[in-house]
Amino acid sequence: MQIQIVAVGKLKEKYLIQGIAEYVKRLGPYARVQIVEVPDERAPESMSAAEEALVRQREGERILAQIKGDAYVVALALDGKPLSSEELARHVEELATYGRSHVAFAIGGSLGLAPEVLARAELKLAFGRMTLPHQLMRLVLVEQVYRAFKIMRGEPYHK
């Protein structure tokens, strides 16, 4: 299986980079993982709604440019569907069973995802109702993808 994570912004925090690298390494036997960082749009602290929409649109264009046409797109969104780890594992397994072997996860910037990205997504996924920093979301996501593969294979997950 091919897992792609397309995220807005460049990670600078060493602990996040190391954590993500560890889970990508652990995923090696199960899937090919590609993490693509697209530049975030420069934005002032205070913006009008129109300016915020323009930032999301530009970041969304960058995200969509990285996703192949045959990819099953999962958008991380606060108003998405919350899944348990087991439910995510079943969903990924069903995708693989039915020939959807390229899954692309989209993580927006600090203002969220553009409507165009949400429209392209076949699943909007929420990791609960709490807002998490988009940089931290990458680590949480890659850990949950790893956990999903362990569940799918019936292997123990070492805590």
Side-chain angles (χ1 to χ4, degrees):
M1 201 160 200
Q2 189 174 351
I3 303 292
Q4 181 184 36
I5 298 171
V6 183
V8 172
K10 183 160 180 58
L11 280 184
K12 297 174 185 90
E13 296 84 358
K14 189 175 180 180
Y15 70 96
L16 292 173
I17 294 168
Q18 291 172 333
I20 291 166
E22 176 62 27
Y23 284 109
V24 168
K25 182 178 84 173
R26 291 181 187 192
L27 274 162
Y30 308 109
R32 285 181 287 145
V33 179
Q34 176 192 30
I35 298 177
V36 179
E37 294 179 332
V38 299
D40 55 348
E41 189 68 19
R42 299 279 181 230
E45 279 295 313
S46 178
M47 290 185 283
S48 68
E51 290 170 320
E52 287 183 2
L54 185 59
V55 166
R56 279 192 297 275
Q57 177 194 352
R58 289 178 177 163
E59 291 175 347
E61 289 168 356
R62 292 176 188 141
I63 289 170
L64 291 173
Q66 296 299 320
I67 297 173
K68 294 180 184 172
D70 66 339
Y72 181 91
V73 179
V74 179
L76 274 60
L78 282 174
D79 65 343
K81 182 177 183 179
L83 298 177
S84 69
S85 297
E86 293 78 12
E87 290 169 329
L88 179 62
R90 279 194 298 278
H91 193 70
V92 171
E93 192 166 35
E94 286 175 14
L95 290 172
T97 300
Y98 294 105
R100 303 297 303 269
S101 61
H102 181 194
V103 180
F105 292 89
I107 303 174
S110 59
L111 297 175
L113 288 166
E116 296 82 5
V117 177
L118 295 171
R120 170 69 174 85
E122 296 175 67
L123 171 65
K124 290 193 322 184
L125 178 63
F127 279 81
R129 294 175 47 205
M130 294 176 137
T131 302
L132 297 172
H134 59 280
Q135 300 92 337
L136 179 60
M137 211 48 244
R138 294 184 209 185
L139 177 58
V140 173
L141 174 62
V142 76
E143 187 279 335
Q144 284 298 301
V145 170
Y146 171 68
R147 185 180 295 265
F149 277 96
K150 295 295 273 184
I151 291 168
M152 286 165 40
R153 302 288 196 276
E155 298 173 0
Y157 183 88
H158 300 289
K159 295 168 179 67

